[in-house]
Amino acid sequence: MSDDRKALISLRNVKKVYRTRDTELEALGDVSFDVFPGEFVSVVGPSGCGKTTLLKILAGLLPHSSGEIVVESENFDIEREVGFVFQKPLLLHWRKVLDNVLLPIEILKINRKSMVGRARELLSLVGLDGFEDRYPNELSGGMQQRVSIARALIHDPKLLLMDEPFGALDAITRERLNMELLHIWEETKKTILFVTHGINEAVFLSDRVIVLTARPSRMAASLDIDLPRPRSQEVRTDPAFGRYALEIYKGLEIT
Amino acid sequence: MSLATLAPKLKTPAVILAILAIWQGAVGLFEIREFILPTPLSALEHLFLPQPDANYNWMVHIRATLLEIGLSFVITSVVGISIAIALAWSEASRKVSMPLFVFVNSLPIIAIAPILVLWSGYGLKTNILIAFLVSFFPVVINTLAGLAAIEEELLDLVKYLHGTKLQVFLKLRIPNSLPYIFTGLKICSTMCVVGAIVGEFIASDRGLGYIIINSQYTMDSPPIYAGLMLVSLFGVSLFGLVGLAERILMPWARRGVAEK
Ligand SMILES: Nc1ncnc2c1ncn2[C@@H]1O[C@H](COP(=O)(O)OP(=O)(O)OP(=O)(O)O)[C@@H](O)[C@H]1O
Ligand SMILES: [Mg+2]
């Protein structure tokens, strides 16, 4: 990544302290990194190190305690152009699949009719043709998470925040969805910030991997992943793949 | 419809018929006098006596009671749900008026009914007021619980796109509370019937409640039992209608078992 390009979003010494009545908990120690337009950046770190906290701060769902979050790119509206895929699918069980996908459109007060076609396209992009009129409780966990990905994309956000979206799924479904995700990323040219526990997953998907230490989290490493695109399973046999994974293990002090 | 699918639906009517049959048989067997307990047949027969012979013009009274039950149910539902939404919307309104609602609900409405008659007179208006007072609380409490029962994380879906509080209510809280609202309405449907009948005992010159109380004075028991049967029929029907509306308005809740 050349540094003369403007970052879509830039975090500078972001800290987060959760205050409760009699305790303070430092969730994010000191985190600084940039995300450039079109990049696929992963964040890995142990459970409880503040990854969800970080994404929620970026999405404006939580205030940070100190530091700065700067939007450098002029044509990025962080209030409307973010898509969030939560750790759980969080579908509205009273809405059919298609209506779930259209929720952000209604919230942003965009004409709904004009977006129905797009919603169908996105559902087919995530492999859910023909499920438009089903209710969420008729879908498997993996299918629900795919609906939530389509929902996060419907308002054409520039930045997609994904919080361990496949964490609860079995390994096979997970690998499939990773391939689909790369496909979507290539097709839609989004910027993706992807939180995961999976070290191989992070290497496989990303342009860059941010490694966080345990709480209070600091950045242990920021690793450019220089592997060929488009990625296929063969890339896993690349010696460089193993070296990147090893670097992450070192950053996490698992040796 | 085959016999197999029809059979479960006939269970309830079969039980009711059995009870009526036992009742009919027991009265004959133990030679119970009619003013203590008439047979169900003689009670029902009273409904069909030609007009000059019957003590009452049943159609007039049935119409009056149905109107009261229907109006009080609709009014209580609309007002109760609206109150709950207002209370959920603003914490200040909740703090100020919740104690008031609890107070009103804890009043023995039946005991203060005579006061209500003094205030709003005899007839329909007062009966609806009584029915409202005995039945609004379950609607308010259930709706309020439903509006509060939203999964915290779902709110993030609206918040991160900077949606409004109105959107949180319209898109999340209200649809999420539908099952709770219907529970409230089911309780309301039976309480409204009780309220309307009590109103007729006290403040009316027509309606099934009026027939029941009036026949008691004359110790004419078949119309009492006929009136009771009609009242319970109306109560069960209204309850059934609410259940039907629930199934129609919440299609997501009835899927699954049957289709899989
Ligand atoms: N609302 C809150 N109030 C107080 N502490 C919180 C709150 N939310 C999270 N925390 C704490 O902050 C820390 C970071 O939480 P966070 O959910 O961001 O972790 P995470 O990295 O996403 O973990 P995981 O990988 O298990 O999802 C945890 O120790 C958690 O207990
Ligand atoms: Mg998390």
Side-chain angles (χ1 to χ4, degrees):
Chain A
M1 283 302 123
S2 61
D3 282 351
D4 46 77
R5 281 170 57 204
K6 279 191 178 168
L8 193 67
I9 195 163
S10 171
L11 290 84
R12 299 179 190 158
N13 306 105
V14 173
K15 294 184 189 178
K16 172 70 186 178
V17 181
Y18 283 110
R19 279 175 232 282
T20 51
R21 236 179 328 134
D22 40 25
T23 55
E24 289 198 347
L25 186 129
E26 198 177 352
L28 279 181
D30 183 349
V31 176
S32 306
F33 63 90
D34 293 343
V35 181
F36 291 94
E39 250 192 322
F40 196 125
V41 178
S42 288
V43 176
V44 295
S47 182
C49 76
K51 304 180 297 297
T52 298
T53 304
L54 179 69
L55 291 193
K56 286 195 172 170
I57 289 172
L58 287 175
L61 289 171
L62 283 176
H64 50 293
S65 308
S66 66
E68 274 187 294
I69 292 164
V70 184
V71 176
E72 294 192 340
S73 156
E74 291 89 14
N75 52 3
F76 173 50
D77 178 356
I78 198 169
E79 297 206 341
R80 294 173 65 93
E81 293 183 313
V82 172
F84 205 136
V85 181
F86 293 87
Q87 213 160 344
K88 292 193 252 164
L90 296 182
L91 300 182
L92 307 182
H93 63 263
W94 56 87
R95 283 180 176 233
K96 292 179 178 174
V97 164
L98 188 73
D99 298 318
N100 263 289
V101 174
L102 286 164
L103 180 71
I105 293 305
E106 294 171 21
I107 292 166
L108 294 171
K109 302 195 171 106
I110 300 167
N111 181 291
R112 197 187 126 102
K113 271 210 191 99
S114 67
M115 298 303 292
V116 172
R118 178 65 188 148
R120 288 181 191 281
E121 277 171 34
L122 283 170
L123 282 171
S124 118
L125 190 65
V126 297
L128 288 175
D129 284 298
F131 286 92
E132 293 85 351
D133 291 330
R134 299 297 191 93
Y135 285 98
N137 64 8
E138 299 173 90
L139 306 184
S140 72
M143 291 159 93
Q144 293 187 13
Q145 197 55 283
R146 281 184 273 168
V147 176
S148 86
I149 293 172
R151 176 181 61 191
L153 291 169
I154 184 70
H155 52 300
D156 201 19
K158 294 210 168 76
L159 177 63
L160 190 59
L161 304 173
M162 305 183 83
D163 190 2
E164 292 183 52
F166 312 135
L169 306 178
D170 67 279
I172 300 166
T173 314
R174 193 176 172 138
E175 293 303 336
R176 282 228 177 86
L177 291 181
N178 277 338
M179 291 308 293
E180 276 180 39
L181 179 61
L182 277 184
H183 182 63
I184 291 168
W185 176 66
E186 276 149 18
E187 198 133 304
T188 58
K189 314 240 180 320
K190 305 276 172 227
T191 309
I192 297 184
L193 189 57
F194 186 89
V195 162
T196 176
H197 283 142
I199 291 166
N200 288 327
E201 182 175 74
V203 175
F204 181 71
L205 294 170
S206 316
D207 293 321
R208 200 144 50 88
V209 178
I210 310 284
V211 184
L212 297 182
T213 64
R215 216 183 54 226
S217 49
R218 277 155 223 290
M219 281 175 58
S222 167
L223 217 62
D224 285 327
I225 308 294
D226 200 4
L227 291 169
R229 298 262 187 204
R231 303 234 168 116
S232 60
Q233 297 301 335
E234 278 80 62
V235 82
R236 293 176 193 274
T237 62
D238 193 318
F241 190 98
R243 280 199 298 277
Y244 290 130
L246 186 63
E247 293 253 1
I248 296 174
Y249 279 103
K250 280 186 189 154
L252 293 168
E253 293 172 349
I254 318 171
T255 42
Chain B
M1 226 186 274
S2 74
L3 195 65
T5 59
L6 204 62
K9 291 185 180 168
L10 291 176
K11 257 185 211 153
T12 313
V15 169
I16 293 173
L17 276 181
I19 291 173
L20 290 177
I22 293 171
W23 173 3
Q24 180 82 28
V27 171
L29 191 66
F30 301 112
E31 295 176 348
I32 300 173
R33 277 172 302 172
E34 181 163 75
F35 79 92
I36 301 286
L37 184 65
T39 64
L41 280 180
S42 79
L44 288 174
E45 199 184 3
H46 195 279
L47 294 176
F48 299 102
L49 289 180
Q51 227 15 259
D53 292 0
N55 324 7
Y56 306 101
N57 184 343
W58 283 96
M59 269 333 287
V60 171
H61 297 290
I62 289 174
R63 225 182 284 138
T65 298
L66 276 181
L67 184 67
E68 277 164 17
I69 293 175
L71 276 178
S72 60
F73 177 73
V74 170
I75 292 172
T76 309
S77 308
V78 172
V79 174
I81 292 170
S82 308
I83 289 175
I85 292 174
L87 293 180
W89 184 271
S90 119
E91 199 182 335
S93 79
R94 197 158 58 244
K95 284 210 172 110
V96 171
S97 43
M98 204 57 204
L100 176 72
F101 292 123
V102 176
F103 168 72
V104 171
N105 182 57
S106 62
L107 287 174
I109 300 299
I110 293 165
I112 63 162
I115 304 177
L116 299 176
V117 178
L118 292 181
W119 287 351
S120 70
Y122 237 55
L124 185 68
K125 229 177 18 175
T126 310
N127 291 350
I128 289 176
L129 182 64
I130 293 171
F132 171 81
L133 288 174
V134 298
S135 63
F136 82 100
F137 201 65
V139 180
V140 174
I141 285 293
N142 276 287
T143 307
L144 206 51
L147 292 169
I150 190 93
E151 213 183 320
E152 200 69 34
E153 289 165 299
L154 288 180
L155 300 177
D156 286 348
L157 284 175
V158 174
K159 265 198 237 156
Y160 92 90
L161 293 168
H162 299 265
T164 61
K165 188 172 178 179
L166 182 63
Q167 285 174 329
V168 170
F169 269 76
L170 292 178
K171 315 256 176 233
L172 300 178
R173 288 193 189 274
I174 292 176
N176 184 66
S177 67
L178 278 178
Y180 295 78
I181 291 178
F182 277 111
T183 303
L185 294 186
K186 280 179 184 166
I187 303 172
C188 175
S189 72
T190 56
M191 297 300 284
C192 272
V193 174
V194 174
I197 297 302
V198 167
E200 287 170 354
F201 279 178
I202 300 165
S204 203
D205 54 8
R206 66 183 63 174
L208 299 175
Y210 167 79
I211 289 185
I212 291 169
I213 205 89
N214 223 41
S215 307
Q216 184 221 315
Y217 299 144
T218 57
M219 299 218 292
D220 183 11
S221 72
I224 299 185
Y225 285 86
L228 280 176
M229 285 191 236
L230 285 175
V231 169
S232 51
L233 178 69
F234 296 163
V236 169
S237 306
L238 186 57
F239 189 90
L241 279 179
V242 177
L244 185 67
E246 181 179 27
R247 258 172 288 140
I248 292 171
L249 292 174
M250 295 175 38
W252 61 90
R254 74 176 124 96
R255 310 230 151 189
V257 191
E259 281 182 36
K260 273 172 196 164

